[in-house]
Structure formats: C-alpha cells, structure tokens
Amino acid sequence: MTEIRHDIRNVAIIAHVDHGKTTLVDALLKQSHTFRENQEVGSLIMDTNDLEREKGITILAKNTSIRHGDVTINIIDTPGHADFGGEVERVLNMADGCLLLVDAAEGPMPQTRFVLRKAFEVGLRIIVVINKVDRAHARPKEALDKVHDLFLELAEDADQLEAPVVYAIAKQGRAGSAPDALSPDLEPLFKAIVEHVPAPVVQEGGFQMLVANRAYDDYTGTMAIGRITRGSVRPGDPISVLGAEGDARRARAVQVMLYRGLDRVAVPSASAGDIVVLTGLEEVAIGDTLASPDSPDPLPRIEIDEPTVRMTFGVNTSPFTGREGKFSTTRQLRARLYKELDTNLGLRVADTAQAERFLVSGRGELHLAVLIETMRREGYEFEVSRPEAIVKVVNGQRMEPVERLTVDVREAHLGAVSEALGKRRGEMIEIVYDHKGGVRLEYLIPTRGLIGFRNAFLTLTSGEGLMGSISIGYRPWLGEFREQRNGALTASSAGTSLTYGLAAAQERGITFIEPGEEVYEGMIVGLQKRPGDIRVNVTREKKQSNVRSSTSDISVRLTPASRLSLEQSLDFVADDELLEVTPKHLRLRKRHLTEVDQSRARRAAESAGIGS
C-alpha cells in the first residue's frame, strides 16, 4: 500500500560548471526567508569548502531545505564539473525532480549532456531553467532549441520529453515564463517546483533507506545522509546495516535530524520521503542500505562510472623529505588514501609492487588535483607522477577512453586550436559560427590527448577560450602522437639559488624559482627554449674582485619567475619527472636526480626495449 506526501518536494539542481547552480540556490534561500532580515550571509552560501571558494566551483554535493507555503523543498546542490560526476551520480536517487540549468549564451555543454542522461536514467521529472538571460550574447531561444535536441537524443520514453521551461537571472533573483517578462522575484520558479516536481510516494512497511552521503562532526561522529524510501525512524531505533557483500550488522540510531536551511535540526521522527541525517552509525559506507531488523531488504547500490585517468602517489624521496609535512610515512599516506574511498566514490586506490607507491585512479585531472590539494593542506608530504589515461585490452583489442570536447574560441584563434587538437588525435564532429566573431567546435578526442592541453589552450586563445569535456566511454586505440615540450632546466648542485646563477639560467629559458630558494640536484628550476634537458648551476655566485669591468655589473636584473599552479605542474610534468608536494611548496624534479642515475635508467630502458 502506498500514499503520497504532498508536503515535500525533493529536487536536485544540475548543470554544466559555471551555469549558475550555486548562485540560484543562494537566491532561493534568501527569498524563502531562511535567514534573518539583518543577517549577513554573502554569496555562494553552499560553497563552504575553502577549495570551492578559491576555485569558484562546487566540488561536493550538498543538501539544504527551504519552505514555500506549506511545502518543504529539499534542495540538492551538485557539482558542475565532469571530474566530479561521481558526486552527481550518488545523490540523484534522493530526488524526484531536478532543475536543469542552461546558460542562455553558452547553451548545453558537455556536462549538461552527462547530468541530463543520469537524470533520465533514474526517472527524474525535469524543469528546464534558461539562466543568465541578461548576458550580452544571450540567445535563450537557441539555447532552448539545443536543450530540446538533447531531450530527443537522450530521453528513454516519450513522457520525459515534456518539460516546463523557466527563464531566470539567478544573480538578481528573478524568474519568469519568458525571457523578456521576468518577475521581480523567483516566485514563478517556486510555483514550477511545487506544481511539476512529483511529491514523494510513501511505501508502507519497515524502515528502509539508502546511504547517499556521509558527513562527520566532532560531537556526533559519523553521520549517514539519505532519503527514506519506506517506513519511519526515531532516535534509539535498532537498525540493520546491509553492506556491499550483503552482510547485515546491528546498529542503533542515536539522533534523527532533518535539514532546515543550512542547519541540521534534531526531530522526534522522520518518515518516507524525508531526506534525513542519522548519527550513531560509525561503520556505515555510502551505498549501504539501512533497514528495520524485521524487514532487512537491501536497495540497489549506487552505480558509478569507471575512472579514466590514473597517477601514482608515493612517499617523498627528495633530499628535502620530512622538512615541511606532518605526515610523510608510507603508513600515513596509505591510510589517508584508503580513507578517501569512504566518501569519494569516483576514486580507486590500489597497492603497487613498490610498498611506498600507490596507484590512484579518478575521473580526470581536476578530480585528482583536488585530492592532492586537500591532502597537502592537511599536512601531507608526498610525490606524484604524470597523469595518464587508463588503457584496457578488450577481446585482444587495445581500447582507450575518449571524450566529447566542446571549445568556444574567437575566429582569430580557430586555426591554432584546430591544429593543436589535430596533433592530439582529435576528430572534429561539428563547427558552429555565431556570426559575432565566436566559434564553437565539437571534437571526439582521446583522454590522453587532453592531458596537458589546458595550459596550451589558454596560451593559444590568449585566455579567452572556454573548454569542457565529458567521457563517452572506450574506443579502439587511435594511435600514437608526439607531445612537444621543451626541455627542463635542472639544478646541477644543491644549495641556495642566487641572482647571478639565475641570470645565467634565464639566458637559456624561463625560470620557476626566485633568488634565495633552496634547491637540490635534479630539481627542475625552469624550462629551456629547445627540446632536451640542460643542467644549470643556479647556486653560482659572481667571483669577488676589487675591479669592476663596467657599471652594468653593479646589479643584475632578473625576469620574474613563472610560478606554476598545481594543475599547471601536473600538465607540465613528463614521464621521467615527478611533482613533490608539501604543505609549503610544489617542486618539480627528475625521477632520477643525478646524472649517473639518469644514465643508468636510460641504459636499463634501452636494454629492456631490445629484450622485448
């Protein structure tokens, strides 16, 4: 027997990165009077993580709740970047409907396709929101036409083709049924959610819930978050936890909490349809089923797409090891990486033949870069290798991950970008001119062709280009291609870098360090103008004498160092190089530091090639 709860709507907000999801949630929270009239809350309220605020993107899916009349609207804010698709996949089962945000100027982008496909797979009712209709190049009608094309391509049944449309300017908190007829507030959007998002269907029977998220609090410990699909739960109720292997163990709910705005509020009970937070379940994992001991029926576990990129994490082996990090041993690194698997469902970690190295696989470079930056801020010290695409052999055929890439560039940069993508085995499938000087290109390109491309793309487009990609699965190997990167300038001796030595190095190329920084032999201190590595003595000082040859010797002028960010460093690093990561520094280095070790490694590689 079932009934419908008309007092609740569970809705997810999904979109491509930077199409306005978190800004829209800000406006919904403010207009639902979640905060006091005089309360200062700022912007990007849901992005509470420091990394999210710095990068300007949502990384973790989050829950909040607002009231509209007699209806509680539970909102799930999801990441928009393809690398965090695992966050989207694990939370969509908590919703009955979703708001699909599309930028009126950019239209559907690669992640729009991904999130829409996932929403169709779990049967969500979709409301299309064409956002940013006030942008200079906004084309809301064309954007909607493209969305309809996506619906025709991805819908699994005819009922999914019908979707109400709302136009909005999330930053101003306005919405309406036409781009030129917006209300002064978001009331049209509130009404669309209440009218078109299905109310939860309540099943009779014992308590049942799928854990879609976990959180931790210093006072209450581990918290299990999910939507109750059957029955109800109260504090103190006994619960069966059904794990991945189907084994059941007993636990007890200590607290039952619901979301009220940004807070979690303890309640005497929660029932089917509620998105609830339970405490007291220490060993629970995402994907586990929580159920009444009288009817321990497991729910289908959350299915997550496979990783496409991997890299090795290892203990720091540089001469500076142990100087800056609190956690630098193999045991500490291994424990931290495996702990990440509890909440980061898109990640995979495996031991290697070398005890101090671990193979970490993720959904993309940014996915792994965020993990590296998070661990670095926690005080971990380690080294990582160059990211590489995960290649498989299926029925004797070599297969590699392929992505659908969308780039928006100015016409002046079209030739350079097309040439660069062609060299990386990219295949153009569509080109669209907007007749305002802009061009949109669609490519199919192997994932390995995109590794290291972002920096080159920014240079080729003078920082004006936009790019986004989404994995579309595995295809037959597309052949080798040579990546051109100039040689590295490596330190020939340990010591402290000096202006005189750096000035000599800058005659060979650009440098990455400033005077006064400690270096060691084999550390990469710059990029030279040609292929092939060069050893330079950046610790060299000018010989002292009491004779000056000219006034130009009085001071040496240096070009400011080119500082590489974490993402730029991962793009830069070559197969025979590593990135040393500490809480204070990012150092590029050769895998084998001395000339002798490098020669031995080359001879070993050559003999292995001859032997094979």
Side-chain angles (χ1 to χ4, degrees), residues 215-258:
Y216 185 83
D217 182 86
D218 290 336
Y219 297 101
T220 60
T222 302
M223 295 180 281
I225 303 167
R227 173 181 165 177
I228 302 174
T229 54
R230 193 178 70 191
S232 61
V233 63
R234 294 174 177 78
D237 280 359
I239 289 175
S240 282
V241 181
L242 308 174
E245 307 301 323
D247 54 313
R249 57 181 183 80
R250 298 294 286 269
R252 191 174 295 275
V254 175
Q255 266 188 316
V256 177
M257 294 183 283
L258 296 178

Side-chain angles (χ1 to χ4, degrees), residues 566-586:
L566 174 58
E567 287 86 354
Q568 288 172 325
S569 298
L570 291 175
D571 283 350
F572 178 91
V573 72
D575 291 334
D576 65 336
E577 296 166 357
L578 296 170
L579 173 63
E580 178 187 350
V581 180
T582 75
K584 295 181 180 178
H585 291 97
L586 295 172

